[in-house]
Amino acid sequence: MRAIWKGAVSFGLVSVPVKLYAATESHDISFRQVHAKDGGRIKYQRVCSIDGEEVAYADIAKGYETEDGQMVILDDDDLAGLPVSSSREISVEKFVPREQIDPMWLEKSYYLEPDKAAAKPYALLREALKEADRVAVVTVSIRTRMTTAVLRVRDDVIVMQTMLWPDEVRKPDFAGLDATEHAAKPQELKMARLLVDTLAGDYDPDDYEDDYQQAVEALVQAKLEGGEVTAPEEPKKATGEVVDLLAALQRSVDAAKSSRGEAPAADEASSSAEESSDDSEDGVEEEPAAKRAGSKKAAPKKGAAKTSTTGKSASGKSASGKSASGKSTTKKAAAKKPAAKKTAAKKTAKKAVAKKAS
């Protein structure tokens, strides 16, 4: 077990450091709400009852509804002014006869374990409760709320049981109870007592079992062994938010252009996305910018050579021939530069690969 609270029991001038453990746990059967078709869990959204819109958790406040249906909203500042207690003390107020504590007032049960250095005062309090045949009424603060509780001994362990407040226990108000006051006849009462004596005995918890839980577990096990199991698929990631974001960005661009007096573009984001997807579907990879630049410069190479040859055949010493020859030389040099850069880059890459391999 894991301790959920640490503090000290104080009675008089004696203090007993203790740890608090939950004494009970629920084994109640609980079922999930799922989609009968595929076994997917059903999720719930926080929706406002007035406008029908989903409300973010950050926008949810605490509200107190009055008996006539009015709603009072409380913010963090309002709640900060409420009386809270963070005391780590279980303060003994009285030792009262156990029969004065109605079991209906008891709520949750906890075990108290003594701290390592508190064995003696813990034993002192436990034995005092046993000999007096009383329970200790205490006040304790759990989760910032002050409440009342009782301390009693069970199997040599001090047990603390929190109590309901007096106004939390309903009073029976049944008109039919008046008719039962003298309804039983003496002979009937005698037979009822005889029946009680016949069924009298000691309570043994092992005499009772949760047959419903056992039946559910057997049913589930049978379905598992028979292969009647639904493995829900992983929920698909919603893409609605991305679409909404793209649409919002497109509207923002259109609004910005309209404010400058420009005509809004016809869905530039979607058209660019379509172009990109078309290229990828056709298996065409876009050529790098440097490669495109190199190919454009290298293209005139053949033309330049032709111009140089024509110039020489027409007139080797003419001004137009010289001009053509000069242009041809310049274009050849321009065409060779990107090739030289590519060759250098290839050599560098080969050296890097060889170095990495070594």
Side-chain angles (χ1 to χ4, degrees):
M1 292 189 291
R2 183 174 61 88
I4 61 175
W5 185 89
K6 292 182 181 180
V9 179
S10 64
F11 61 106
L13 298 177
V14 180
S15 180
V16 187
V18 293
K19 297 177 183 178
L20 198 70
Y21 298 85
T24 61
E25 58 184 0
S26 176
H27 289 166
D28 191 18
I29 297 293
S30 60
F31 297 101
R32 303 283 188 182
Q33 286 191 331
V34 298
H35 189 191
K37 180 181 178 181
D38 52 22
R41 291 187 182 183
I42 303 300
K43 294 184 178 181
Y44 293 91
Q45 295 178 326
R46 296 177 289 269
V47 179
C48 178
S49 61
I50 297 177
D51 56 23
E53 295 183 0
E54 186 176 356
V55 182
Y57 187 79
D59 295 331
I60 297 178
K62 289 182 172 63
Y64 183 92
E65 186 173 6
T66 61
E67 293 183 359
D68 57 356
Q70 298 186 74
M71 189 66 67
V72 180
I73 299 178
L74 304 175
D75 56 22
D76 293 340
D77 293 336
D78 297 327
L79 298 175
L82 297 177
V84 294
S85 175
S86 58
S87 173
R88 292 287 177 174
E89 181 182 21
I90 302 174
S91 178
V92 176
E93 306 294 335
K94 290 181 181 179
F95 292 96
V96 303
R98 62 172 61 251
E99 61 269 15
Q100 292 185 1
I101 304 298
D102 193 318
M104 188 178 288
W105 298 342
L106 302 179
E107 192 177 17
K108 295 181 179 179
S109 301
Y110 303 91
Y111 288 131
L112 296 184
E113 180 193 22
D115 201 8
K116 293 180 179 179
K120 186 174 182 178
Y122 184 91
L124 177 64
L125 176 59
R126 181 185 63 196
E127 298 306 318
L129 288 172
K130 281 184 179 181
E131 291 183 7
D133 194 24
R134 290 173 177 258
V135 295
V137 177
V138 302
T139 54
V140 59
S141 175
I142 300 178
R143 297 184 181 89
T144 72
R145 287 288 304 274
M146 184 67 70
T147 186
T148 56
V150 294
L151 300 182
R152 64 182 184 88
V153 180
R154 181 180 185 273
D155 297 334
D156 286 336
V157 179
I158 298 178
V159 177
M160 184 181 78
Q161 293 179 278
T162 57
M163 299 174 64
L164 299 170
W165 295 104
D167 60 350
E168 292 180 312
V169 179
R170 295 177 175 178
K171 292 183 179 181
D173 185 13
F174 306 126
L177 289 177
D178 296 337
T180 64
E181 188 173 353
H182 302 289
K185 296 178 181 180
Q187 189 64 24
E188 295 170 340
L189 183 57
K190 183 179 179 180
M191 291 300 296
R193 289 173 180 169
L194 180 60
L195 178 61
V196 170
D197 292 338
T198 304
L199 297 176
D202 295 326
Y203 174 72
D204 185 358
D206 295 332
D207 292 341
Y208 308 91
E209 57 186 17
D210 189 353
D211 56 350
Y212 180 79
Q213 178 184 359
Q214 294 177 357
V216 170
E217 291 176 351
L219 176 62
V220 171
Q221 186 62 33
K223 284 184 173 290
L224 286 172
E225 293 174 355
E228 298 181 48
V229 183
T230 301
E233 297 180 2
E234 289 293 328
K236 296 179 180 180
K237 294 182 179 180
T239 57
E241 293 183 2
V242 178
V243 174
D244 292 342
L245 178 60
L246 290 173
L249 290 172
Q250 184 62 50
R251 288 195 297 269
S252 300
V253 172
D254 293 342
K257 289 186 176 182
S258 299
S259 65
R260 294 197 303 265
E262 301 178 12
D267 203 357
E268 295 176 358
S270 60
S271 62
S272 61
E274 289 175 1
E275 291 174 6
S276 175
S277 62
D278 289 342
D279 289 344
S280 60
E281 287 175 2
D282 294 338
V284 179
E285 213 172 317
E286 189 173 352
E287 206 172 5
K291 192 173 180 180
R292 290 200 305 269
S295 61
K296 285 180 180 178
K297 290 180 180 179
K301 186 174 180 181
K302 293 181 180 179
K306 288 179 182 179
T307 306
S308 175
T309 306
T310 306
K312 286 181 181 179
S313 60
S315 175
K317 296 180 182 180
S318 64
S320 60
K322 287 181 181 179
S323 174
S325 177
K327 287 181 181 179
S328 172
T329 305
T330 305
K331 286 183 180 179
K332 283 181 181 180
K336 286 181 180 179
K337 283 182 181 179
K341 287 183 180 179
K342 282 187 179 181
T343 305
K346 286 182 180 178
K347 287 181 179 180
T348 305
K350 285 182 180 179
K351 286 181 180 179
V353 172
K355 188 176 181 181
K356 188 175 182 181
S358 61

